[in-house]
Structures are given as structure tokens and as C-alpha cells.
């Protein structure tokens, strides 16, 4: 027999149709399952100012919406962010497994609404700062970072990408990753917020990535995402929720004077992805994994019984998961295949056909479809004439790299190393031309030994030993 509370919520639902003015929407469900819930939450300072919902579909959805509104009544933002699927189900003495779906949808709608309400109306600098804001992607690294975050931590997951064809569901950008992260945080007893950054991500990361391909560049969207999109939004949220610092699962370290430092594990180091950050942002970041190696991280996760202890590492750009590079450009950037000639740099002859110059990058060796005795590399791509030129390795060797949009946080003479690709160890180098520290400009790096040229659009990270002094973009 159903719990009396279930019947009570069904008969007289709390907050049904009673949507607070000035509140923010969270919607979950839809045509696929026939259940749809819209929850509206208003935030006043660090408390919930009001909550209401409308639901279409099964009765359990109305019941869970009603339980959510009851729990939200008079709650602080942190208490609201702690409302888990379990709490919703417990509110009616447990739910039949077939009805759990309703609690999950209501939790999705609630946390979407709450995240938007806090991001827009939360009190900046309100209350004494306590604890850290932990960025959880649903993967093992950020779960372990969360374990090490200390008391009063609040977790947040960014919803960055949702494709109409659902193609990135397995990646850290996707909605299933948001659910996974929220469940993990709630298991650890941590409040969790969802922040919908899809518009900013599309405008600030995906569109420029497509535009760069159109121009024949090889962009680095992770650097842009970390710098301009997600960390700024996360630090703003930290202010609004009353957290002094931001903790992430990046493999990187910081120095006492506010600069980035390479991680202990060279195979996992992610300082490159963060090298565009301003020192003011770096000073607020905490990287608990910077001194650990990946097997140690998995061991910690296993000991804590985290279900993601053996989750695979993310391999590709998050928004490409399940789609692939060329298909994504065709679908989202109208940059379909455009066959053209592959020329040999030595002879000038056409030696094959490529799929579109925008799909190739300097230094690329595989996927050229050209049989030659000795290895051939892409030595030039020209999107205007749609020609890809290949040649011997020596054609790509260079000891000079020109950078644009270069920013240094210390004097140029300190630079003694550079990293030109994510998966490349730092190389000895010095700067012979550079803007003043803190100013944006052009610069020239001279390498101690010639190196295969990296593609225009890639990031160059400048180092003094293992300390990151700044970064620029290959011109
Ligand atoms: N969607 C997201 N929401 C919140 N934080 C995120 C998100 N994606 C990444 N992060 C944060 O950035 C860090 C580095 O992200 P990256 O995409 O490189 O993940 P990763 O190394 O695969 O880590 P994880 O195992 O936590 O997914 C994560 O550990 C996490 O702290």
C-alpha cells in the first residue's frame, strides 16, 4: 500500500501552479518519456525566496514536485542544493523503482532552476566566505578532488553542451554527467549546484573553434574554455555562494606568489590547458591532485568506494564525444567534406586527394591516404585554394616560433622553456621579443633545438623551470 504521505502530496500538492514571481525555471523530461516538469525557484540572498512547479504525466511527478517545494520552503541555498533524488523519495517513505524516474526528473528540474537562480540572483560576497566550490565533472579526478575539499565544500557541475541528437551524452559536458556528478556529491554529503553554461560555451568555445577551422587554423578550445568560459563563471558562482576558493581536478599546482606550476605527474599535467588564466584567478584556485599520480588518484577513489574509481579518462574534446571531428564540423559549422588535391612539396605534383583542407593540421602524418616510401607530413594547408601540401619532416623543423596574444606575468628574460602542444614535454627556449609583463602583444620564441612546427592557432605555454610565466597563440 502507498505511504500516506504519497497520497497526501497527490491530493494537495505543495506549490503546484504557485510559481514565484522573479523566479528561474528548470525543466526536465519531454516527449520521449511523456513526463514533463517545470520547477521555478526564486533566491533571496542566500535563502530560497519561493518555489513552485507544474507537471504533466504520471502522478509520481506531481508527488515529487510537491515534496521538493516542501523541502525548499524556508531552506538556505546550501540546504536546497543538498536535496537529492533519495531525499525526494524518502519524503514519501520511498518510491517504487518504476517511479524513481519521477524523482530524478524533479531533481534535474530543481537543480537547473536553483543553479540559474543562484548565478543570477545570489548575493555576491553575501555572508562570510566558508569552504570551497568544487567543480565536479562526474569523472574520477574531480570526485577525488571533492573528497579532499574539506568541510563546507559545495559542488557544482557545468552543463556545457547538449546536442539535439544527444551525441555527447557520454562526455563530461553532457546531462548524464551532470546527474552522475550530483549523485556523487550527494553521496559525499555535499550540496550540489548545476550551472547551465550552454549558451556561453557555444558562443565562447564551439563557435570560435568552428570559425578557426574555417580559416585553416588549429585551435585549442580547452584553453579558451578554461580561461574565458568556465573558470570565470565558476569563480563568480563561488562569490555568490560564499566560497572563497575554487577546487578542480586538474593536474596542476600553484606557487605562493600566484602563478601556475606543472603537476608532479608529467604524463597528466594540465597546466597547459590553464596557462591563459590571470594571476588573480590562479590565486583562488586549489588543485588537490597536482602532487599525485593517476594510479594514486584511482586508489583513493577505490578506498572511498566511489563508483567512478575506474571510469576511463576522457580522450577527446568533450563536445566531440560520440560525433567525431569532421562530422561535428559538418553538422554544426556547415563545413562538410570538400575534396581537393594533395600536393608534394618536393615535386609540386598532385599525389592524392584530401577531404577538405580545413580537416588537416600542420605536422599531421596519418590519414593522408598517400603511399610514399618515407614518411610524409602535412607541411601546409591552404583553405582558400583548398590545397594540402605534404613533404619531408625537415620542412617542418624550425627553431623560431612567433606568438600573438602573448601575455607574460613576469619579466621575459626569465623564460627558459616552452610547451607548444598539450602532449609534449617542455623544451628549452628563450624569448627574444615580448611585450611588457601584463600587456598583450607579439613575441618570438627561440628554441635551443629545432622542433617540428606546431600549427597556427595552438597555444604556447612559457616556463621558468616548472613555473608557468604566461602563454600566447602561435601566429
Ligand atoms: N562539466 C564540468 N563541470 C564542472 N567541472 C568540470 C566540468 N568539466 C571539467 N570540470 C573540471 O575541470 C577539471 C579538468 O577537466 P577535464 O575535462 O580535463 O577532466 P578530467 O581530467 O577527465 O577530470 P575528471 O576525471 O574529473 O572528468 C575536472 O577535474 C573538473 O574539476
Amino acid at each position: 500500500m502507498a505511504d500516506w504521505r504519497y497520497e497526501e502530496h497527490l491530493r494537495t500538492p505543495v506549490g503546484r501552479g504557485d510559481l514565484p514571481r522573479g523566479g528561474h525555471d528548470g525543466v526536465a523530461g519531454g516527449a520521449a518519456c511523456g513526463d514533463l516538469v517545470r520547477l521555478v525557484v526564486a533566491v533571496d540572498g542566500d535563502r530560497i525566496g519561493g518555489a513552485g512547479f507544474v507537471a504533466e504525466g504520471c502522478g509520481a511527478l506531481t508527488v515529487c514536485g510537491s515534496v521538493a517545494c516542501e523541502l525548499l520552503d524556508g531552506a538556505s541555498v546550501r540546504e536546497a542544493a543538498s536535496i537529492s533524488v533519495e531525499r525526494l523519495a524518502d519524503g514519501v517513505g520511498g518510491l517504487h523503482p518504476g517511479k524513481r524516474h519521477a524523482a530524478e526528473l524533479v531533481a534535474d528540474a530543481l537543480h537547473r532552476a536553483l543553479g540559474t537562480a543562484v548565478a543570477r540572483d545570489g548575493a555576491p560576497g553575501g555572508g562570510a566566505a566558508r569552504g570551497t566550490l568544487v567543480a565536479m565533472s562526474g569523472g574520477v579526478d574531480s570526485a577525488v578532488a571533492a573528497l579532499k575539499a574539506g568541510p563546507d565544500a559545495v559542488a557544482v557541475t557545468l552543463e556545457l553542451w547538449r546536442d539535439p541528437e544527444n551525441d555527447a551524452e557520454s562526455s563530461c559536458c553532457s546531462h548524464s554527467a551532470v546527474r552522475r556528478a550530483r549523485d556523487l556529491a550527494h553521496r559525499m554529503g555535499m550540496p550540489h549546484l548545476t550551472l547551465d553554461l550552454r549558451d556561453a560555451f557555444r558562443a565562447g568555445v564551439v563557435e570560435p573553434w568552428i570559425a578557426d577551422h574555417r580559416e585553416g587554423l588549429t585551435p585549442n578550445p580547452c584553453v579558451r574554455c578554461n580561461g574565458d568560459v568556465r573558470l570565470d563563471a565558476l569563480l563568480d558562482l563561488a562569490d555568490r555562494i560564499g566560497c572563497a576558493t575554487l577546487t578542480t581536478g586538474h593536474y596542476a599546482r600553484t606557487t605562493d606568489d600566484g602563478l601556475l606550476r606543472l603537476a608532479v605527474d608529467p604524463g597528466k599535467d594540465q597546466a597547459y590547458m590553464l596557462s591563459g588564466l590571470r594571476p588573480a584567478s590562479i590565486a583562488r584556485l586549489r588543485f588537490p591532485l597536482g602532487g599525485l599520480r593517476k594510479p594514486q588518484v584511482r586508489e583513493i577513489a577505490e578506498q572511498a568506494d566511489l563508483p567512478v574509481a575506474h571510469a576511463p579518462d576522457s580522450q577527446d574534446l568533450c563536445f566531440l564525444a560520440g560525433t567525431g571531428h569532421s562530422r561535428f564540423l559538418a553538422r554544426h559549422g556547415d563545413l562538410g567534406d570538400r575534396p581537393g588535391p594533395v600536393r608534394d612539396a618536393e615535386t609540386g605534383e598532385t599525389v592524392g586527394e584530401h577531404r577538405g583542407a580545413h580537416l588537416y593540421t600542420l605536422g599531421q602524418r596519418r590519414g593522408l591516404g598517400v603511399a610514399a616510401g618515407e614518411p610524409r607530413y602535412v607541411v601546409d594547408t591552404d583553405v582558400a585554394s583548398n590545397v594540402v601540401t605534404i613533404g619531408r619532416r625537415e620542412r617542418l623543423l624550425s627553431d623560431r616560433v612567433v606568438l600573438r596574444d602573448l601575455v607574460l606575468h613576469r619579466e621575459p628574460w626569465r623564460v627558459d622553456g616552452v610547451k607548444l602542444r598539450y602532449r609534449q614535454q617542455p623544451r628549452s627556449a628563450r624569448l627574444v621579443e615580448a611585450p611588457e609583463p601584463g600587456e598583450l602583444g607579439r613575441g618570438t620564441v627561440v628554441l635551443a633545438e629545432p622542433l617540428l612546427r606546431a600549427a597556427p592557432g595552438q597555444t604556447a605555454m612559457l616556463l621558468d623551470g616548472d613555473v608557468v610565466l604566461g602563454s600566447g597563440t602561435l601566429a
Side-chain angles (χ1 to χ4, degrees):
M1 210 182 85
D3 188 280
W4 62 270
R5 284 169 290 182
Y6 188 96
E7 302 298 337
E8 192 76 17
H9 279 288
L10 194 58
R11 216 174 21 247
T12 49
V14 180
R16 185 171 64 182
D18 192 10
L19 309 180
R21 288 170 81 86
H24 296 275
D25 261 31
V27 177
C33 68
D35 287 330
L36 184 69
V37 59
R38 175 172 164 233
L39 218 134
V40 179
V41 174
V43 162
D44 184 7
D46 63 354
R47 302 207 76 79
I48 300 301
F53 76 101
V54 283
E56 283 168 31
C58 71
L61 205 60
T62 297
V63 168
C64 292
S66 170
V67 173
C69 289
E70 193 174 70
L71 291 169
L72 287 166
D73 188 28
S76 69
V77 165
R78 288 185 185 222
E79 284 163 351
S82 300
I83 298 175
S84 61
V85 173
E86 300 310 326
R87 280 282 295 286
L88 294 174
D90 288 350
V92 286
L95 276 175
H96 183 274
K99 292 181 174 166
R100 203 181 148 81
H101 175 62
E104 280 166 354
L105 287 182
V106 168
D108 286 348
L110 157 62
H111 289 286
R112 278 194 183 126
L114 184 64
T116 309
V118 174
R120 304 236 175 109
D121 302 335
R130 61 193 167 103
T132 188
L133 182 68
V134 193
M136 288 184 76
S137 64
V140 59
D141 292 331
S142 50
V144 170
L147 279 179
K148 295 180 168 287
D152 291 327
V154 177
V156 59
T157 305
L158 306 173
E159 207 169 346
L160 297 171
W161 185 253
R162 212 183 313 149
D163 189 281
E165 288 186 21
N166 232 6
D167 56 8
E169 267 310 289
S170 59
S171 88
C172 66
C173 300
S174 72
H175 181 60
S176 49
V178 172
R179 271 192 181 170
R180 204 164 49 239
R182 190 173 65 219
D183 288 349
L184 276 165
H186 286 154
R187 266 170 75 115
M188 294 179 199
M190 219 182 266
H192 179 274
L193 290 165
T194 306
L195 199 56
D196 184 352
L197 276 192
R198 285 175 295 160
D199 290 345
F201 185 73
R202 178 174 261 283
V205 178
V206 178
E207 296 293 351
W209 183 79
I210 292 171
D212 280 355
H213 275 87
R214 204 167 272 129
E215 283 181 36
L217 301 174
T218 303
N220 205 315
C222 299
V223 175
R224 192 184 269 272
C225 179
N226 277 318
D228 296 337
V229 177
R230 57 184 196 197
L231 287 185
D232 281 353
L234 287 167
L235 287 169
D236 181 58
L237 185 70
D239 283 337
R240 291 177 185 275
I241 192 105
C243 291
T245 58
L246 172 67
T247 297
T248 76
H250 286 104
Y251 288 80
R253 291 181 291 171
T254 55
T255 64
D256 292 340
D257 57 349
L259 295 181
L260 278 173
R261 230 178 121 195
L262 303 185
V264 160
D265 186 343
K268 289 298 297 178
D269 179 67
Q270 288 178 307
Y272 181 79
M273 300 297 189
L274 300 166
S275 58
L277 292 180
R278 293 177 293 273
S281 304
I282 297 168
R284 296 185 62 193
L285 287 170
R286 301 291 176 266
F287 303 119
L289 309 194
L292 298 173
R293 288 173 187 270
K294 186 77 185 211
Q296 293 174 291
V297 170
R298 290 204 185 278
E299 207 176 300
I300 295 168
E302 207 176 282
Q303 278 165 6
D305 210 14
L306 296 182
V308 288
H310 299 288
D313 285 354
S314 41
Q315 295 297 336
D316 213 338
L317 300 177
C318 62
F319 51 91
L320 293 188
T323 307
H325 196 154
S326 57
R327 206 174 134 229
F328 188 96
L329 285 169
R331 268 180 55 199
H332 298 279
D334 208 13
L335 277 174
D337 280 12
R338 234 181 109 212
V342 176
R343 296 251 164 84
D344 189 312
E346 330 299 331
T347 64
E349 282 172 19
T350 297
V351 290
E353 190 181 73
H354 63 73
R355 293 174 52 203
H358 62 284
L359 295 173
Y360 297 78
T361 186
L362 209 68
Q364 180 175 339
R365 212 177 102 182
R366 281 183 297 197
L368 301 178
V370 175
E374 76 182 291
R376 286 287 195 272
Y377 297 78
V378 173
V379 296
D380 188 41
T381 63
D382 185 340
V383 284
S385 60
N386 200 28
V387 173
V388 171
T389 308
I390 60 170
R392 292 204 191 96
R393 188 173 183 275
E394 302 83 76
R395 282 192 176 261
L396 282 173
L397 288 175
S398 168
D399 65 354
R400 269 177 189 256
V401 184
V402 177
L403 303 179
R404 60 176 164 90
D405 302 331
L406 168 64
V407 180
L408 280 174
H409 310 306
R410 297 288 183 271
E411 300 85 347
W413 59 263
R414 292 179 187 272
V415 172
D416 66 4
V418 68
K419 185 163 155 164
L420 299 172
R421 293 184 177 87
Y422 180 39
R423 304 250 171 244
Q424 176 188 69
Q425 291 310 306
R427 305 299 167 118
S428 265
R430 62 198 166 86
L431 262 179
V432 291
E433 188 201 344
E436 289 296 310
E439 282 177 18
L440 197 69
R442 287 176 80 85
T444 305
V445 177
V446 175
L447 293 148
E449 282 181 31
L451 201 63
L452 284 186
R453 274 187 291 143
Q458 286 283 290
T459 298
M461 173 171 80
L462 297 156
L463 294 159
D464 172 9
D466 63 359
V467 176
V468 180
L469 295 189
S471 71
T473 305
L474 268 69

